[in-house]
Amino acid sequence: MPNSITQAQPPLKFIPPTYNPIVRQVASFALPLWMQWRLNLREIAVDQPETLLKLYEQFQAGQTRFMLAFRHPSTTDPYCMYYLLSRYLPSVARQQGIELKSPIHAHFIYDRGIPLWAGKHIGWFFSRLGSTPIRRGKLDTVGLRSARNLFTDGQFPLAAAPEGATNGHSEIVSSVEPGIVQLGFWCAEDLVKAGRSEKVLIVPIGIQYQYISTPWTALEKLLSELEQDAGLSPNVPEADLAWIQSHTALTDRYHAQIYRRLIQLAEHLLTLMEDFYRKFYRQTFSAVQQEQAANPEAVQADAVGALPTNHHIAQRLQSLMNAALRVAETYFDIQSKGDFNERCRRLEQAGWDRIYREDLKQIEALSPVARGLADRIAEEANLRLWHMRLVESFVSVTGQYVIEKPTVERFSETLLLLWDMVARLKGTHSFSRPRLGAQRVQMTIGDPLSVSDRWQSYKENRRQAVANLTQDIQQSLEKMIRM
């Protein structure tokens, strides 16, 4: 969402999927160049593409309806999925002599908020690709009905990210949301009612990124820029390096030094933000203080080196995110319940309710005074959402991600999350997120999970059947991560 919303807006309209084969064809033609030039993605490898080819054969023969449930560590993922369908699978099909009707495509489910910050043209483009939007923070009956209809009767299979949002970690799967499973059972229900025999499946797809050559120089350059933005002069004492090298897998002096600087930057930013929320929003951080009192040895160890688990930093981050969300929740009069993801989505919807006014169908007909008051509410709501935006990039940060496996990929992912934070604090857009080096992507097609085989269980206990299948998707995506 842009930072400069100062006026109330008309209600958010549903963007209906309006598939246009010409738009799809142009996008397919331009995609390889875009991925190399803009995304710096140079290689794509796919494990078990035959599984997906067989499913498309069955789909086109009227034997199955299925959903592609893909991992979502990065905003690059939809491009990889589109390349998989429009380029990779047709090539494999030709090589294996498999005849499939063109095009191999999918109806993607996307967040309705994307066109708000990326531009209205993105909504137009997604619509012409046959994609359908969903509002994540409310019961979006119109969006759900569209997705349900596409799952049951769409020209192509459905595709969605079951984690709901990006988490910035190739090797951590966020909690899978139950929405896509519910859509699967609704599809099975609709088929039964219509007397149709297609089998309903959900296909987990793993996505994982690696650098083709390790970009340590670019990573250190970005780290230096962030240190400068934060007003931090890096200082890594010899005792710290010795401690890191003797207590962790970072035996290389250069990597140990970068790691300590990364920790220093994180600690510095945490201190700045804690002071900010304590001074101006009267937030307390008693949970961190209690942790320090209960575990003084850990705090002391952090002071002279780096704990293998970085438990202290993780605890401070959790407390800081909780404080930031409380500030926004207090303004919107929302209870602090659920995990961080749930709280972020609830806040987002509360902000949208004040910006995109359902109760003001004819905003242009308001008196100047009434319009001024509506604008003031919209501007304040947008400002309060800033606290939530600060949090949503860090919901999957564990504090252990780098040190438990200190690869350049994990270093980079963590540093880029800090870059997101600094960009937001500076009031700049995150569209120009740095690309540290050329990457390859590893995609893995998982074994299809049958919704139809669980139909009887769903009729007996809907909540439990949804929970069980959601957990199976979670485990399948986690098993596909290459450590």
Side-chain angles (χ1 to χ4, degrees):
M1 185 178 294
N3 293 323
S4 58
I5 292 179
T6 59
Q7 294 182 319
Q9 308 292 321
L12 279 177
K13 294 182 179 179
F14 176 72
I15 306 174
T18 311
Y19 174 68
N20 185 317
I22 296 177
V23 173
R24 188 213 64 83
Q25 189 172 6
V26 171
S28 176
F29 176 78
L31 183 62
L33 292 176
W34 175 264
M35 292 178 72
Q36 289 195 31
W37 169 67
R38 188 69 180 88
L39 306 180
N40 214 359
L41 274 179
R42 303 306 174 94
E43 298 177 14
I44 292 184
V46 182
D47 280 352
Q48 300 177 202
E50 298 81 7
T51 299
L52 210 47
L53 286 174
K54 183 177 180 180
L55 287 173
Y56 267 94
E57 278 188 298
Q58 295 171 350
F59 181 91
Q60 294 181 357
Q63 298 171 354
T64 64
R65 307 292 301 183
F66 67 89
M67 176 191 287
L68 304 169
F70 60 93
R71 272 237 53 214
H72 204 13
S74 166
T75 55
T76 304
D77 309 328
Y79 298 101
C80 296
M81 286 295 299
Y82 193 61
Y83 186 92
L84 169 70
L85 300 181
S86 66
R87 292 281 184 160
Y88 194 93
L89 285 183
S91 175
V92 175
R94 287 192 296 270
Q95 293 173 9
Q96 298 186 4
I98 299 174
E99 294 186 7
L100 290 175
K101 300 175 185 176
S102 182
I104 300 177
H105 191 51
H107 298 287
F108 283 77
I109 300 176
Y110 66 95
D111 176 17
R112 179 60 179 86
I114 292 177
L116 300 182
W117 56 262
K120 291 183 178 179
H121 62 286
I122 294 297
W124 180 93
F125 179 65
F126 285 175
S127 172
R128 270 58 182 183
L129 288 179
S131 303
T132 190
I134 195 77
R135 294 174 67 167
R136 297 179 296 171
K138 62 178 291 186
L139 181 60
D140 184 1
T141 55
V142 177
L144 289 172
R145 188 182 305 116
S146 174
R148 181 173 181 169
N149 291 339
L150 288 173
F151 205 163
T152 305
D153 296 309
Q155 182 178 351
F156 310 106
L158 206 60
E163 294 164 273
T166 60
N167 70 4
H169 295 77
S170 274
E171 297 178 21
I172 294 179
V173 180
S174 297
S175 296
V176 169
E177 299 179 356
I180 66 162
V181 172
Q182 184 60 68
L183 283 172
F185 282 116
W186 281 341
C187 178
E189 181 179 10
D190 292 341
L191 294 178
V192 170
K193 289 180 178 178
R196 292 162 56 180
S197 60
E198 296 103 309
K199 191 170 186 178
V200 182
L201 305 169
I202 294 178
V203 188
I205 298 180
I207 298 179
Q208 196 167 347
Y209 299 92
Q210 290 182 323
Y211 288 101
I212 294 175
S213 58
T214 53
W216 287 108
T217 301
L219 188 151
E220 186 179 13
K221 180 176 181 293
L222 179 59
L223 178 58
S224 298
E225 292 173 358
L226 293 179
E227 289 168 337
Q228 184 176 2
D229 284 339
L232 179 65
S233 298
N235 178 29
V236 184
E238 289 295 325
D240 284 16
L241 290 177
W243 193 95
I244 294 170
Q245 291 178 291
S246 63
H247 287 78
T248 74
L250 289 167
T251 56
D252 182 272
R253 181 183 178 87
Y254 174 70
H255 296 163
Q257 186 177 58
I258 289 182
Y259 177 72
R260 187 58 180 130
R261 289 172 61 189
L262 180 65
I263 294 298
Q264 287 178 336
L265 176 62
E267 290 177 328
H268 182 70
L269 291 173
L270 281 170
T271 299
L272 289 177
M273 296 307 298
E274 287 166 351
D275 291 344
F276 171 74
Y277 279 105
R278 184 183 296 111
K279 181 176 181 180
F280 296 105
Y281 293 97
R282 299 178 299 280
Q283 296 297 306
T284 60
F285 298 93
S286 56
V288 174
Q289 295 166 0
Q290 292 171 5
E291 175 68 20
Q292 292 174 351
N295 196 5
E297 293 181 0
V299 178
Q300 184 179 3
D302 254 346
V304 298
L307 281 176
T309 61
N310 293 309
H311 181 68
H312 175 48
I313 287 182
Q315 179 70 22
R316 289 177 66 189
L317 178 61
Q318 294 289 306
S319 184
L320 176 63
M321 292 195 297
N322 189 51
L325 291 181
R326 277 201 309 264
V327 168
E329 288 164 342
T330 299
Y331 173 78
F332 290 114
D333 193 23
I334 294 176
Q335 290 185 348
S336 301
K337 61 180 182 179
D339 61 24
F340 285 134
N341 269 318
E342 292 170 335
R343 292 168 68 184
C344 284
R345 299 290 69 79
R346 202 156 42 242
L347 282 168
E348 181 179 62
Q349 187 56 48
W352 285 8
D353 288 343
R354 288 162 173 78
I355 297 170
Y356 304 96
R357 298 286 295 274
E358 296 286 346
D359 58 329
L360 300 178
K361 306 294 185 183
Q362 300 291 331
I363 289 183
E364 64 278 0
L366 294 176
S367 69
V369 171
R371 178 59 189 261
L373 291 173
D375 291 346
R376 174 58 61 88
I377 291 297
E379 184 176 17
E380 288 187 356
N382 184 62
L383 289 173
R384 298 293 178 165
L385 285 178
W386 178 88
H387 303 281
M388 181 274 292
R389 299 297 178 199
L390 196 65
V391 169
E392 61 182 353
S393 295
F394 291 89
V395 293
S396 295
V397 173
T398 66
Q400 306 176 35
Y401 189 61
V402 175
I403 199 61
E404 69 183 8
K405 184 186 175 186
T407 61
V408 70
E409 284 78 20
R410 292 197 177 197
F411 266 100
S412 299
E413 288 171 2
T414 302
L415 189 62
L416 287 171
L417 287 178
L418 291 178
W419 183 91
D420 291 339
M421 179 182 187
V422 170
R424 199 166 293 281
L425 293 177
K426 290 164 57 180
T428 57
H429 287 290
S430 59
F431 303 145
S432 56
R433 202 178 201 228
R435 301 283 175 182
L436 298 179
Q439 288 183 301
R440 66 169 62 90
V441 59
Q442 175 65 53
M443 306 184 73
T444 304
I445 313 302
D447 295 330
L449 300 171
S450 175
V451 179
S452 299
D453 290 349
R454 303 164 190 252
W455 173 243
Q456 187 60 40
S457 298
Y458 177 75
K459 290 194 296 181
E460 295 171 358
N461 188 331
R462 297 191 174 200
R463 185 185 299 272
Q464 190 60 51
V466 169
N468 290 343
L469 184 49
T470 300
Q471 183 60 31
D472 287 347
I473 295 172
Q474 179 91 34
Q475 292 176 354
S476 179
L477 291 173
E478 289 173 350
K479 288 178 181 177
M480 284 186 276
I481 293 177
R482 296 189 175 189
M483 303 298 285

